Amino acid sequence: MEFSFGPLGLYTDFYELAMAQGYFYSGKKNENAVFDYFFRTNPYKGGYTVFAGLYDLLRLLKDFRYSDSDLNYLQEQGFKSGFLDYLKDFSFTGDIFSVAEGEIVFPNEPVARIEGNIIETQLVESFLLNILNFESLIATKAFRIKQVSGGKSVSDFGMRRAQGLGSLLASRAACIGGVEYTSNVLAGKMYGIPVSGTMAHSWVQSFANEFEAFKTFAENNPENTILLADTYDTLNSGIPNAIKVAELMKISGHRLKGIRLDSGDLAYLSKKARGMLDNAGLHEVKIFVSNQLNEFVIKSLVSEQNAPIDAFGVGTEMVTGKPDASLDGVYKLASVNGLPKMKISENVEKITLPGLKNLYRYFDGEGNFFRDGILLSGENPETVNTLFHPVYPEKFTVVKNLRHELLTRKVFSKGSILIEDKKPAEIYRDLEQRSRFLPEEHRRFISPHLYKVGVSEQLSVLKKKLMGDLKNNL
Amino acid sequence: MEFSFGPLGLYTDFYELAMAQGYFYSGKKNENAVFDYFFRTNPYKGGYTVFAGLYDLLRLLKDFRYSDSDLNYLQEQGFKSGFLDYLKDFSFTGDIFSVAEGEIVFPNEPVARIEGNIIETQLVESFLLNILNFESLIATKAFRIKQVSGGKSVSDFGMRRAQGLGSLLASRAACIGGVEYTSNVLAGKMYGIPVSGTMAHSWVQSFANEFEAFKTFAENNPENTILLADTYDTLNSGIPNAIKVAELMKISGHRLKGIRLDSGDLAYLSKKARGMLDNAGLHEVKIFVSNQLNEFVIKSLVSEQNAPIDAFGVGTEMVTGKPDASLDGVYKLASVNGLPKMKISENVEKITLPGLKNLYRYFDGEGNFFRDGILLSGENPETVNTLFHPVYPEKFTVVKNLRHELLTRKVFSKGSILIEDKKPAEIYRDLEQRSRFLPEEHRRFISPHLYKVGVSEQLSVLKKKLMGDLKNNL
């Protein structure tokens, strides 16, 4: 099934349409515009961000059109007929340059660059931000969780408390961040994510007693029996009944796959449960846990408490990106008709970088991430020897002769997607490989070291000159 | 346009399908089941929750079916052909009882009750939770914001940082909570919400200078000109240019509607801007503000700083329900084939209430909310004189002769929606009326007074008896 519910041209902020109409009637409709997508802060007070959402964006971009019903609606809102005629045949005809999904990126980097006429590039702003901000938020959260899970399996159980249909994108992004399974069946079908699940308390309650409930479930799911052990009393009822059922299953040539703990102290209960299972000779029965998990709880269970847990089911906090709940990505104009543009602000960090830019990564002698560099698109990276602080150019770093890589590549052109449709798990494999070269000090949760991103001398000079021009023009 | 992208039967957690198949093959498929929807904690450390999402749930419930492609997918996941044949003709045939959308509700109340066969009631669990939890979270946030806005207009600007397609439900729920406009055009069309918006910094940047940008916008939108004043320098450029354009507009018989401030100190800048506009005789030009607003910032601007602001544009924090990002609603089995069921827990607050229940509200002599009472569905409320604490029955309250109202009413039966499709703004009007009778001490942000919810004696006795039976059965 395609991820689509009809044309998406109205999936935008009203002001985009108001501006588009303004450009249309003020002779600007064929002007060329370039916008940058970037964010200003890593989520979760972390040291990096995992970029995600790109393929969803590109796929949905093809549906960014207007039906007759949409045009009637816009007419009722006061839009003019000439502009509505223009929208009738609208499709996005521009080019998009972007870093790959699953790439590790940092604040203020031009992660994606959108080029086209000013109307089309303006109209897709809200839509692009909606998808890229959210999936990057969730992929980053999932990767933080995966990093501390001690190599154990992590599943997404979040649908029930996800933000409505945002759950579909959340499950995909969680998988990009390292989650292996999702409980969300529609997301599983749409994105090719393996689906999994166990049973709810209601299954247990619906039977005369817990043993009957467990036995019946095992009879119906002999290959995939995971018994929820905490409906009445984990250690006095749940685990003993699970052990009885495991013994019955052995007689019929099957094996109990696992038990799940969903309440109480998971460190204490998993150790007790492991002991009881092992005493019954059930060493192969795995322990699954769930209940308000996040990266901090999992890190403590794995690294501090040595809880004998085989798999984590993570829900709400992962799929909502709690407590941040959003990534602060923005979409800012960088050029019109070849003229570089910028926005000034009383806050120097909020001043944007003008012109067409590419993003490069520089590696040190051991192959680790050393610096990221933002260069003007015409610049030959071989001639760039120094990167300057984007706000305080007195600070600089020499990158001469360091191996570097272009991160922003063309991914969409003339209505076509130029990249492969990878499964989320494949994107995670790329991320996992790549992350080995991100030094540990950027990955820790508490006060991570700042990864430095610089600009080329040409870009630094251009920025300074434009600021002067703008101030003189006020 | 209908809110639909094809059949939604897969929009569920995998374990619901695994359990459904288990019920199907273990002779339970015609058993009658009753589930309760309730939550355990008010969001935002607040004193109440605004219930929302019901009509979206009921509307989408009609799409909760399976296509051939869905059934093929389930077959690949190992589901058996007899069960898949059953799903081929599946639709939800049960009854739903619920409080109205926009009602003010409290923790542990059975807000909705779902009755039907055990398969259909189980399958819709995740889907129901996904919608009701999220819309209630956002409606509550929006109402908190509206309550402190001093009667000023509030708009939803959140789409760009909302959680993917969750933005559509978020905009509806925000409107139920009191927001008057949304920037999200698709949500506006789907739900009949008035749409609005101004301009972005990119509009200003795309012109040779700010004055040209403002003048051109006004020429194209003479009836709805709101000028964004902070692209370069609010007080030295933005406001002076807006005043010049306002004067030009007067000449052509139009009026500048407003200016928008999107950065800097909004209290300081709004006062300065108001002074400059008033000095130019532009008393009618309104001041719109945006930029990371929430209920605390707005309360301070309105009540402490007397900022001369006419309208608030609220984005990220409202549509993501930050910092909570989720409501902890659950769906618990209350009865099977007429036998009351409950779940025990080591945490007494997590023990569920058994049996079919109705929710009543009791009012004091002034018409204010006094207590809510949970009664068994067979009970005559006229004979209930006392409400007991659900966990500590030593605590009780006399409610004899108090006016009361049944809150849980039948809203869905035999595949049909039994309630009116109200616009979000109509639901807000009901909420606003109702909220006047919620005493102030439950509405304050800091340590709100706990609103008390009791159970009837019959329910209290039933709960105690079932707990004893369950413990004896372990």
Side-chain angles (χ1 to χ4, degrees), chain B residues 73-117:
Chain B
Y73 175 75
L74 291 177
Q75 190 175 30
E76 286 162 26
Q77 306 307 313
F79 287 90
K80 297 175 195 164
S81 59
F83 176 61
L84 295 175
D85 281 347
Y86 173 85
L87 289 186
K88 204 179 175 82
D89 301 317
F90 179 86
S91 69
F92 181 82
T93 64
D95 290 345
I96 299 179
F97 297 77
S98 175
V99 305
E101 278 198 276
E103 184 57 89
I104 294 168
V105 292
F106 302 95
N108 301 309
E109 294 186 341
V111 173
R113 186 171 92 231
I114 293 80
E115 305 187 4
N117 69 57

Side-chain angles (χ1 to χ4, degrees), chain A residues 5 10-11 13-15 28 69-70 122 130 159-160 163-164 167 183 186 189 202 206 231 316 320 344, chain B residues 5 10-11 13-15 28 69-70 122 130 159-160 163-164 167 183 186 189 202 206 231 320 326 344:
Chain A
F5 51 101
L10 295 188
Y11 196 47
D13 283 313
F14 181 84
Y15 79 171
K28 292 169 76 76
S69 150
D70 295 338
Q122 188 75 65
N130 179 262
M159 178 194 163
R160 61 191 49 208
Q163 300 208 342
S167 75
S183 68
L186 187 54
K189 184 186 176 203
S202 55
S206 80
T231 304
T316 313
T320 62
I344 299 189
Chain B
F5 51 100
L10 294 188
Y11 196 46
D13 283 313
F14 182 83
Y15 80 170
K28 291 169 77 78
S69 149
D70 294 338
Q122 188 75 66
N130 178 262
M159 178 194 161
R160 63 191 49 209
Q163 300 207 343
S167 74
S183 68
L186 187 54
K189 184 186 177 205
S202 56
S206 81
T231 304
T320 62
S326 67
I344 299 188

Side-chain angles (χ1 to χ4, degrees), chain A residues 3-5 10-17 19 22-23 25-26 28 35 69-70 73-74 77 80 118 122 125-127 129-130 133-134 137 159-169 183-186 188-189 193 195-203 205-207 216 220 231-233 237 260 316 319-320 322-330 332-333 336 341-344 470 474, chain B residues 3-5 10-17 19 22-23 25-26 28 35 69-70 73-74 77 80 118 122 125-127 129-130 133-134 137 159-169 183-186 188-189 193 195-203 205-207 216 220 231-233 237 260 316 319-320 322-330 332-333 336 341-344 470 474:
Chain A
F3 185 72
S4 164
F5 51 101
L10 295 188
Y11 196 47
T12 189
D13 283 313
F14 181 84
Y15 79 171
E16 313 286 11
L17 285 157
M19 287 188 282
Y23 295 135
Y25 286 111
S26 58
K28 292 169 76 76
F35 284 86
S69 150
D70 295 338
Y73 175 76
L74 291 177
Q77 306 307 313
K80 297 176 194 164
I118 196 164
Q122 188 75 65
E125 172 182 16
S126 317
F127 165 72
L129 291 172
N130 179 262
N133 281 337
F134 181 50
L137 176 80
M159 178 194 163
R160 61 191 49 208
R161 292 185 191 155
Q163 300 208 342
L165 295 168
S167 75
L168 298 167
L169 278 61
S183 68
N184 186 331
V185 186
L186 187 54
K189 184 186 176 203
I193 306 169
V195 289
S196 81
T198 58
M199 62 169 66
H201 298 114
S202 55
W203 174 273
Q205 290 172 271
S206 80
F207 286 80
T216 308
N220 280 284
T231 304
Y232 302 120
D233 186 324
S237 172
R260 177 162 71 100
T316 313
V319 298
T320 62
K322 199 174 171 181
D324 289 41
S326 67
L327 180 72
D328 70 357
V330 295
K332 292 292 176 190
L333 188 65
V336 173
K341 295 282 181 176
M342 69 189 291
K343 175 187 175 298
I344 299 189
L470 286 169
L474 287 187
Chain B
F3 184 74
S4 164
F5 51 100
L10 294 188
Y11 196 46
T12 188
D13 283 313
F14 182 83
Y15 80 170
E16 314 286 11
L17 284 157
M19 288 187 282
Y23 294 136
Y25 285 111
S26 58
K28 291 169 77 78
F35 283 86
S69 149
D70 294 338
Y73 175 75
L74 291 177
Q77 306 307 313
K80 297 175 195 164
I118 196 163
Q122 188 75 66
E125 171 181 15
S126 316
F127 166 71
L129 290 171
N130 178 262
N133 280 337
F134 181 50
L137 176 80
M159 178 194 161
R160 63 191 49 209
R161 292 186 192 155
Q163 300 207 343
L165 295 167
S167 74
L168 298 166
L169 278 62
S183 68
N184 185 331
V185 185
L186 187 54
K189 184 186 177 205
I193 307 168
V195 288
S196 80
T198 58
M199 64 169 64
H201 297 115
S202 56
W203 174 273
Q205 290 172 270
S206 81
F207 285 81
T216 309
N220 280 285
T231 304
Y232 302 121
D233 186 324
S237 171
R260 176 162 73 100
T316 312
V319 298
T320 62
K322 200 175 170 184
D324 288 41
S326 67
L327 180 71
D328 70 357
V330 294
K332 292 292 177 189
L333 188 65
V336 173
K341 296 283 181 175
M342 69 189 292
K343 172 186 177 299
I344 299 188
L470 286 169
L474 288 187

Side-chain angles (χ1 to χ4, degrees), chain A residues 2 182 193 315 325 359 378:
Chain A
E2 281 300 303
T182 184
I193 306 169
L359 181 63

Side-chain angles (χ1 to χ4, degrees), chain A residues 152-309:
Chain A
K152 301 302 164 68
S153 163
V154 180
S155 291
D156 155 35
F157 284 0
M159 178 194 163
R160 61 191 49 208
R161 292 185 191 155
Q163 300 208 342
L165 295 168
S167 75
L168 298 167
L169 278 61
S171 294
R172 175 179 190 269
C175 216
I176 288 174
V179 159
E180 283 105 336
Y181 300 93
T182 184
S183 68
N184 186 331
V185 186
L186 187 54
K189 184 186 176 203
M190 281 168 51
Y191 295 117
I193 306 169
V195 289
S196 81
T198 58
M199 62 169 66
H201 298 114
S202 55
W203 174 273
V204 178
Q205 290 172 271
S206 80
F207 286 80
N209 58 58
E210 193 178 51
F211 174 72
E212 274 305 310
F214 283 3
K215 189 163 83 66
T216 308
F217 194 84
E219 286 163 4
N220 280 284
N221 301 274
E223 307 302 328
N224 188 30
T225 305
I226 302 169
L227 301 170
L228 179 59
D230 71 333
T231 304
Y232 302 120
D233 186 324
T234 303
L235 299 179
N236 293 308
S237 172
I239 304 293
N241 280 326
I243 290 172
K244 278 194 241 169
V245 168
E247 284 160 357
L248 286 177
M249 289 180 80
K250 273 191 187 167
I251 297 169
S252 66
H254 292 104
R255 278 181 162 194
L256 176 63
K257 185 165 170 187
I259 57 115
R260 177 162 71 100
L261 306 172
D262 186 45
S263 60
D265 190 284
L266 298 177
Y268 171 79
L269 291 174
S270 63
K271 286 174 190 172
K272 288 282 180 187
R274 185 73 270 159
M276 292 164 78
L277 292 166
D278 287 349
N279 283 341
L282 296 167
H283 305 283
E284 77 284 4
V285 173
K286 293 195 181 333
I287 297 178
F288 295 74
V289 305
S290 51
N291 194 26
Q292 302 188 15
L293 298 176
N294 60 32
E295 63 269 50
F296 300 100
V297 174
I298 291 175
K299 185 170 190 240
S300 167
L301 286 168
V302 170
S303 306
E304 290 168 33
Q305 304 180 76
N306 297 308
I309 292 167

